[in-house]
Structure formats: structure tokens, C-alpha cells
């Protein structure tokens, strides 16, 4: 936005990781604070990243047979109350609409607006914190027979959860997300559907975000309010804290029962349907920042970067300027023709160094420098954002080498993140070491757990670490619970988390 | 959704236009009523149409330099109050959030949830009815200098206006829309921007929706609350009522002044910026239904149809079935390859006639019938949705003739709608005739108006007709006001409207 303000210094990660994150989000112009407590503004650069995420995910949802629809923002209070665990989970943090009109009144000599008592609603409405209740009440209307199943629906929407402590993208009162909701004829089918979408999320995280994730099952205490089983993908941030990046729930018949979502079977019986729901949110933008960003700002993986390449032309004299600018525009035209997004930074009043800094801050994966000497040699200099590695590319090879370089950056980012996670994952067998390692170096601690809620709660109360998940690919390995010494069939992923 | 329920009869337009509309929306599975008063559910077929509209519009916004962003759903009550006309326009129909928590209480022996008094908000929040206030408060933070202008932002979002009388798509408490918001250095630039987006809307309506529109200026009484000038596109529905399909506002400095949206000019002075805002909504889906639909259901223009073609294979014996189905799938594969969406309706238990009926109801522009005799002749029969005109197309010409047919249907729909509007537009010079013609035949009545709010209000009170707009291309033609006989420079477009 503002072209005139110099960007502030980015706090180095080693100095204060939390401030570094805020600096990168704000100075990288992904988001800004809003005048509404707990809500943020997603700025154009941040929204463009979200749009790219949406496009990729939406394609994957459609390829697996889901169709988009849209359900009301408002949920009648009584709907939320029907599923006991669900209301328990959401009633304490929801925005409640009570009136439909403001009225001007005189107060202390001046006019203020107050909710008009005459417009008080008969039944209060809750702004959706999630839409199971309203959606399954509609499904009950739409489904009659086994022929209507499976019903595979997705919604892109905003939701509101009244959070006390908010962080840009990671935890905001209002956020954008998608929520998939499906109904099936059998429990097996619902379970397979929940697992399928977990795999879709994991594939998206790894192949598009270049962010390795653990696919796992949540413990009972971390389960979604109203679910029978909650699957999740968990990622590890650079500061050694985990981040839940997506969840997929097998809801069993919990919602079907309370909303009378029934179907007639092929042999004429009446049965409740089986549901799944699954969601990812704008939180993923925060995850992206914390997975790849560095002390110079954002680092965006090419597949999600709004701008993949930027050409910075370099000149000293007016003569050179014309020649170099012409060549730069030609480079951009050719890359665009090859399907690579490209912008020429032709601003006259800024030095190349200043431009490098700015585009690094914005996370553009590949910078293309082009000066008179490069032109004479018939080449450009390509600089990779993650490690600033340079490479001269002959002009004739632009259309082949630049896409290949972007693909290399994408892979490089994934490999770095994976190596970092592997280096930060440790098996721990005694509680004392566990507590010490949580502080330093952090990361995923693989420890045995007997399965009891008590032991889990004790760890959380004493260390702020939680069981992030029981990894699906965790090998069987009998052991002794970290806390009580009871028997454990395999290790769980523990970590402090966002 | 439900595959098992037979669709109900569509009320013919001549019998009851209003019921016809509801029947087509419901039976065509565009939308459904929700359990929340005034809110609807947009079903997959309706949402797919909206997605196609979004894609086309979003491309046009980006091509004119706009970037998407996202601002909070909540607007502090005090923000709404700052611009006097704006609050006047919206305070009486808004959802107001007053609490952030529900609490279980015992009432008459059972537990109910009530808003927790301890969670009462310090300042009530209004669900955005439109976002001028919150967006320009952010612009004020982002804009410092003339170099930051123009600032060209668009938002895709849900908004809430507490409507008393709602109609599916046309008027709902919550609706989906886009709202563009721009800031400029001069009034001339803002005026040009408002006019540019009006033209974008008109182009979209005509070229994508095949819906002719009048581009015009609203009278003062119909102006957006807070605008200096409101432009609109107005369409005429088949029942002779007008529908406002989009608006573009020149906001002058009204919002800039109250939100301190200032910039430093090139010569160092401080000035308020000039704003525009513009929006279209899911109402357009309703406009599409009422522009092209007929007594058999929806008619979708090819450029917005989620499915452009459907192949209905016809067979009697099992032998034929395999052969015909194979050929049908081959047709679909080839059309998909040519960029034409296509579905093969291979359901075994339904007759071809039933299938024709169903796909006509859904508005699919082109039906492709394929039976053993057609196969022997090496051709398919293409049936246009609007007029059921049939044409045999040789299999070898599929990839050229089908796209051409779809383009013909698109043009045909526009021409029919334009001819209908022209036939329903009349010049009227005396009040008695005006009143009579409003009842029968309805349509646009071009009449002289002196420009006074009194005469306009009298017409509205006595006839329920309003000045839809002062058309931008209306020729100068001095005359006498329909009501008071005062002088008028040119005719205005009057109509009863949705």
C-alpha cells in the first residue's frame, strides 16, 4: 500500500520469534490489525496467497466429488444446544445477535445509538463457529433414500470464535475457512471419507505449501466437540512449536440422531446417516510464514506465491535505461507466455538494492537481475529467495530454466522443512528429560503414553505440552507411559503448540 | 440432491409469476429455505452459477487493476454512526451482536441457554450491511501520499440487512456479494472510476448473463446512503418489473472526511481522498432466472451454465445399450477435450423423456440425444434449451459445431431479452395513461420528470412505481413533468421494481 513509508526492521528470529512473526506478517503486508478487537484485515498480498490456497484445495475437493454450497451465517441458539458435546465446546466463545435495529437516543446531551428494545429477537442467533448443526438440519430435508447418499458438500465461509488471546492468522475472532460436510450410508464409508480428506490436506500441505506434516489421530481430550474420531495434520514451526494445520472428523451418527438425518436403506429399513466434517482455515497462511520465513521476511513456495518472479533492471545512464528496460519487459513477456507470473520493477527513484530488499521481504521465490553486462553476455542472473543462490541463465533458456528453477525451489523448501522437523523430533523415555527438552530444544517429543486422560492432563498442566496426535504411521513399540509407567503400545507426538 | 422425489409441477408464468419464480428456484435446486428467518441455503447448482459469475467478474476487476482483500464482519456501532446519511440508511435493519458467551440456566425445570450477562460487550458490534466505514478507516492508515493512490480494493463477502419481506436470491437477510472500494487523488478520477465499474457491470450483464441493462444515474432519493452520486444498471424481468442489478457510487469526500482519509499532494498540501464503492450480489442469480427461465424451468446462458451440455443415450436392448453408451462417452470425452463441459446421463432406471424434463428444469443449454439410428447415420441430435430447436450434427463436426451452437444460444438469449425489453418500453406523456400502463402491460415507462423529490414521491406513493434511473444515453428532449407539468430536459425510466 503505502509506497512512501520505509519498512521497519524485521526482528531477527533468534532475538524474539514471536515479534519476528508479527513483523513479517505486517511488514510483508499479509495482514494488518483492525479496529475490531481480535479481528484482522487480510491485505491484498495475504489474500492472494489465500486465493492460491483456495484454488488448489477447491480443485482437490471437486476432484473427490464434492460440490460447494452456502449455508446461513446465523445459527439459532436452540440448534447449537441439541448436540450436548458440541454446545459444550462452542457456547463459551460465540458472538450472539440479540437485536435487529439500532435506535438513536439522547444521552447526556448527545445522541447515541442503542439496540432498539422493540427489535429484540424471539430467539437469539449465534454467528456460526462451525456449521454442523445448520448443515445437517438441511441434509435431513434433502436425504430420503440410500440413493441420495453419499452427499458430499463443501462451504467456503467466515466463522467466528470469541478468542481471548489472538494472533494474526493463527488465532483470530473471525477467520476464513472451508468446511466439508458429508453424509454416508455406512460407518465404513464415513471413516474412509474422513481418512480420504485427511490425505487431501496432507498432500496439499506437502506439495503446495512445501510443509511436511504428521498425519495422526487426536486423543479423546483434543477431539472436535461432537466427533467420534478426529484426524489431524500437525506441522512443526521453526521455533519448535507444533501447529495443527487441518482436521477431519468422523462424526458417527451424533448429529444425524439429533437432526433426524435418516435414510431408507435398499431393503426398506430406516437408518441414521453417518457424517464427516473437515476444515482448514486462513491459519495456513500463518503456518506458511512460520515454516519458510527467514530474517529477511517472507519466503513463499512457488506454487502458492502470487508472484513467482520479479525482474529488477539495473542501469546507470539514460541510454542504458531504455535498453535494459526493453530487455526486462521482453523477459517478463516471455515468462508470462510460459505460464510463469512475472513483474518488472521499473521504478525510477529506487536503487536495485532497495528493490531486492523489498521483494525479499515479500517472499518472491525468484529474483531476476538484468544489467547492461548481463545483456551483453546474453543472460540474466537468477537469485533464489531461500538461500540467495545465484545462477546465470542464458536468455535463450528462459522458458525452460526458470520453471525448472521454481520447481527446484519448491522441492528445496520442502526438503529443508523436513530436515528441520526430523532434527527436532526426539524419542524421550523419562519425564525429567521430557520436561527439560520441551524448553530446549522444543520440537516433537515422541513418548509413550498409557492412553489415560489423567496422564495426558498432568503433562498439559505441568508442561503446557499436549499430545498433538497419535501418528498413523507410528510403528508398534510396546513401552511404559511417561507419566504413570503403565503399558503403551506405541509412542505419541507431544509438543507445545500454537 | 434427493434422487427419489419426483419434481413437482412448475406453476406456469401466466398463472402466477411469483409462484413460478419460487418453483423454478426450488425445483431447479438453486436454493432452499433455511430454518433461519429470511436466510436461504444456496444449493450446489445455484452456487455453481454464482461461482461462474464470480470467476468472470473477478477477472474483470483484476484486469482493471483491483486487488482482493478481506475486512472484518463486525463494525463497531460508533463507526456506523459517523457518516450521518449512512447510519440513517442502515441502522434500522442490522444484526447487532451484544454478547460473546452463552450460559446454561435452569428455567421451569429444564436447561436453556441464555446470553451470559457477564459477556456483554462494551460496544455493540453490527454485522456489516456494507463495509464503507471499516474499510475507509483502514485506508486512512494505509494512505499517506499521492504515491499511494489510487488504492483499488475489492472484497468478496457476506453481508446482512435485516429485511422484513424476503424472496429467494432477490432479497434475503444475509447475502453474498462483492464490494469494491477505491480511493483517488481527484474528484475527476473518482468519477471516472465509478463510471468505469458501471461499464464493467453492464458488460458482464450483457455478455455473460445475456441480460440487457439500462446504464443510468439514480435520483437523489434512490441514492446510496452516503454517496454523492449513484450509478446503476437496471434490467427488466419477464413480468414487466424492473430489477436493480448493480450499483456504483461516487462517494465524494463524505467518508474520507469522517475517517480522516488524507493524503499529501505532490506539492506538499494535505487533502482528503475521493472514494468510490460498487457492488453486485447473489441477487444476480435471481435476475438470471427471471430473465431467461420459462415454464419448463431454468434456462442458463452457456457462459454461466455449470454444465453446458448433457448427453442422453437412448437404447432398447442390452446390446444397443453397450454400443450407445460407449458412443455417448466418446462424445463427452471429445467435447471435454474441446473445452465444453459435458455429462453423460447413463442412469438405467429412468426414461429418456424423464431425463429431458429434468435437464430442461436444470437449464442445461444444449441436450445431445444419441440413439442407435443416430449412431448408424454417424450423427447426434442437438436440442437447444431455449426453443427446443433440433439439429443433427455429424459426429465428425462435434468439436466445431457444438461450441458454435452454444455461442448461438448465448446470442439468441440476449437478443430475445433485448427484444422483450424494447417491446415493454413505452413513452408516456400523461399521468392517467402512466397509471393504467403500469398495471398493464408494465415495463419501463419513459416519462418526463421535473427533478423534484415531491413529484417523484407522489408517483411512488400513488403507483408504487419509482424512477429506476436517468439513463446515461437518454437523448435530450425538452418536455413537461408527468406530475406537475414543470419543465424537464429528458425522460426518466419509471417502473415498478423488485
Amino acid at each position: 500500500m503505502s509506497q512512501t513509508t520505509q519498512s521497519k526492521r524485521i526482528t531477527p528470529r533468534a532475538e524474539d520469534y514471536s515479534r519476528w512473526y508479527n513483523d513479517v506478517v505486517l511488514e510483508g503486508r499479509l495482514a494488518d490489525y483492525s479496529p475490531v478487537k481480535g479481528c484482522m484485515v487480510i491485505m491484498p498480498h495475504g489474500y492472494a496467497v489465500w486465493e492460491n490456497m483456495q484454488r488448489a484445495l477447491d480443485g482437490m475437493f471437486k476432484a473427490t466429488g464434492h460440490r460447494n454450497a452456502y449455508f446461513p451465517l446465523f445459527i439459532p441458539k436452540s440448534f447449537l444446544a441439541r448436540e450436548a458435546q458440541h454446545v459444550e465446546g462452542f457456547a463459551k466463545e460465540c458472538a450472539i445477535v440479540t437485536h435487529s435495529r439500532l435506535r438513536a437516543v439522547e444521552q447526556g446531551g448527545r445522541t447515541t445509538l442503542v439496540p432498539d428494545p422493540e427489535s429484540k429477537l424471539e430467539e437469539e442467533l449465534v454467528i456460526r463457529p462451525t456449521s454442523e448443526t445448520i448443515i445437517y438440519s438441511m441434509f435431513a430435508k434433502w436425504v430420503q433414500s440410500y440413493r441420495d447418499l453419499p452427499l458430499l458438500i463443501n462451504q467456503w465461509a467466515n466463522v467466528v470464535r470469541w478468542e481471548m488471546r489472538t494472533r494474526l492468522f493463527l488465532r483470530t475472532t473471525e477467520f476464513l475457512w472451508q468446511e466439508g460436510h458429508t453424509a454416508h450410508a455406512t460407518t465404513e464409508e464415513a471413516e474412509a471419507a474422513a481418512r480420504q480428506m485427511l490425505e487431501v490436506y496432507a498432500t496439499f500441505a506437502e506439495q503446495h505449501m512445501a510443509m511436511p506434516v504428521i498425519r495422526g489421530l487426536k486423543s479423546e481430550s483434543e477431539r472436535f466437540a461432537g466427533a467420534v474420531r478426529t484426524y489431524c495434520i500437525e506441522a512443526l514451526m521453526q521455533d519448535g512449536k507444533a501447529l495443527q494445520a487441518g482436521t477431519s472428523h468422523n462424526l458417527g451418527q451424533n448429529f444425524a440422531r439429533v437432526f433426524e438425518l435418516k435414510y431408507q436403506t435398499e431393503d426398506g429399513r430406516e437408518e441414521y446417516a453417518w457424517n464427516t466434517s473437515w476444515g482448514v482455515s486462513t491459519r495456513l497462511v500463518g503456518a506458511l510464514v512460520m515454516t519458510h520465513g527467514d530474517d529477511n521476511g517472507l519466503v513463499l513456495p512457488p506454487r502458492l506465491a502470487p508472484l513467482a518472479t520479479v525482474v529488477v533492471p539495473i542501469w546507470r545512464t539514460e541510454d542504458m535505461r531504455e535498453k535494459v528496460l526493453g530487455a526486462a519487459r521482453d523477459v517478463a513477456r516471455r515468462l508470462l507466455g510460459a505460464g510463469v507470473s512475472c513483474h518488472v520493477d521499473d521504478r525510477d527513484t529506487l536503487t536495485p538494492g532497495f528493490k531486492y530488499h523489498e521483494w525479499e521481504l515479500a517472499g518472491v521465490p525468484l529474483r531476476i537481475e538484468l544489467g547492461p553486462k548481463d545483456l551483453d553476455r546474453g543472460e540474466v542472473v537468477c537469485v533464489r529467495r531461500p538461500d540467495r543462490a545465484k545462477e546465470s541463465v542464458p536468455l535463450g533458456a528462459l522458458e525452460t530454466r526458470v520453471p525448472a528453477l521454481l520447481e527446484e525451489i519448491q522441492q528445496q523448501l520442502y526438503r529443508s522443512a523436513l530436515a528441520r522437523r526430523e532434527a527436532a523430533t526426539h524419542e524421550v523415555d523419562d519425564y525429567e528429560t521430557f520436561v527439560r527438552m520441551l524448553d530446549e530444544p522444543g520440537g516433537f517429543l515422541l513418548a509413550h503414553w498409557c492412553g489415560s486422560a489423567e496422564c495426558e492432563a498432568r503433562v498439559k498442566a505441568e508442561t503446557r505440552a499436549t499430545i498433538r496426535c497419535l501418528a498413523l504411521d507410528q510403528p508398534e513399540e510396546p513401552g511404559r507411559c511417561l507419566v504413570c509407567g503403565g503399558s503403551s503400545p506405541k509412542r505419541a507426538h507431544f509438543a507445545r503448540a500454537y
Side-chain angles (χ1 to χ4, degrees), chain A residues 211-472:
Chain A
M211 179 175 82
V213 292
I214 305 288
R215 299 145 169 84
L217 185 68
K218 284 286 185 194
S219 66
E220 199 179 324
S221 74
E222 301 277 330
R223 203 182 277 164
F224 174 76
V228 166
R229 208 171 289 123
T230 288
Y231 294 100
C232 62
I233 51 171
E234 295 279 332
L236 197 65
M237 303 295 101
Q238 292 178 43
D239 61 345
K241 282 169 80 175
L243 185 138
Q244 176 179 300
T247 49
S248 181
H249 316 294
N250 181 337
L251 303 173
Q253 295 178 315
N254 290 348
F255 288 92
R257 283 178 197 278
V258 292
F259 289 99
E260 290 290 312
L261 168 46
K262 293 178 188 172
Y263 73 97
Q264 194 166 50
T265 62
E266 204 161 352
D267 54 359
R269 287 171 301 113
E270 234 189 18
E271 290 266 18
Y272 290 110
W274 303 82
N275 295 117
T276 81
S277 68
W278 27 277
V280 297
S281 74
T282 36
R283 169 170 245 223
L284 290 182
V285 180
L288 199 64
V289 172
M290 290 205 295
T291 300
H292 304 300
D294 64 23
D295 290 350
N296 298 314
L298 281 173
V299 176
L300 295 175
R303 283 190 207 153
L304 293 177
L307 186 64
T309 66
V310 61
V311 183
V312 178
I314 303 161
W315 67 81
R316 288 229 178 68
T317 66
E318 196 57 22
D319 254 25
M320 279 195 240
R321 178 178 181 280
E322 282 314 301
K323 198 177 154 200
V324 169
L325 263 185
R329 293 198 177 110
D330 194 50
V331 167
R333 196 183 45 70
R334 286 173 53 196
L335 288 177
L336 289 170
V340 175
S341 58
C342 184
H343 170 76
V344 177
D345 187 348
D346 58 5
R347 289 174 295 175
D348 272 340
T349 53
L350 304 172
T351 63
F354 183 94
K355 293 177 181 177
Y356 296 170
H357 171 80
E358 206 175 83
W359 294 111
E360 284 188 352
L361 178 56
V364 176
L366 195 70
R367 176 171 83 226
I368 300 173
E369 303 174 358
L370 178 54
K373 283 183 192 156
D374 302 309
L375 258 190
D376 289 346
R377 280 193 294 266
E379 57 187 36
V380 295
V381 177
C382 290
V383 186
R384 298 173 189 226
R385 172 64 184 85
D387 56 4
R388 289 184 179 158
K390 289 192 181 196
E391 171 178 329
S392 291
V393 172
L395 283 170
L398 273 180
E399 285 95 339
T400 51
R401 187 59 192 142
V402 169
L405 264 169
L406 289 170
E407 186 54 30
E408 284 174 25
I409 293 169
Q410 181 81 30
Q411 299 310 327
Q412 173 190 11
L413 287 174
Y414 179 77
R415 280 196 311 272
S416 303
L418 183 62
R420 202 164 45 233
R421 185 190 77 189
E422 283 174 352
T425 301
H426 302 281
E427 295 192 351
V428 190
D429 289 313
D430 70 288
Y431 196 66
E432 198 184 325
T433 312
F434 179 87
V435 173
R436 187 170 41 76
M437 287 185 70
L438 273 177
D439 281 328
E440 187 59 43
F444 279 129
L445 298 186
L446 284 169
H448 279 289
W449 171 56
C450 63
S452 84
E454 290 72 25
C455 290
E456 185 184 13
R458 190 184 144 194
V459 170
K460 187 173 178 180
E462 293 180 356
T463 70
R464 287 176 295 121
T466 47
I467 296 175
R468 300 317 304 155
C469 67
L470 302 162
L472 298 181

Side-chain angles (χ1 to χ4, degrees), chain A residues 127-131 157-161 173-177 179:
Chain A
I127 308 290
R128 63 181 161 221
T130 178
S131 303
N158 54 343
V159 287
V160 170
R161 296 177 187 179
T173 297
E174 182 194 9
F175 56 91
L176 303 183
W177 80 343
E179 47 183 323

Side-chain angles (χ1 to χ4, degrees), chain A residues 116-170:
Chain A
D116 185 344
E118 286 179 22
S119 75
K120 192 165 185 299
L121 304 186
E122 260 179 64
E123 181 181 3
E124 293 90 353
L125 298 172
V126 170
I127 308 290
R128 63 181 161 221
T130 178
S131 303
E132 276 74 10
T133 58
I134 191 101
I135 291 183
Y136 299 134
S137 80
M138 294 304 300
F139 276 22
K141 203 172 155 185
W142 297 339
V143 171
Q144 270 96 47
S145 134
Y146 69 94
R147 286 193 211 89
D148 303 326
L149 299 174
L151 182 51
L152 310 173
I153 299 290
N154 177 60
Q155 164 171 275
W156 291 97
N158 54 343
V159 287
V160 170
R161 296 177 187 179
W162 211 269
E163 300 280 356
M164 285 300 108
R165 294 192 53 190
T166 57
R167 292 288 307 271
L168 293 163
F169 286 112
L170 300 177

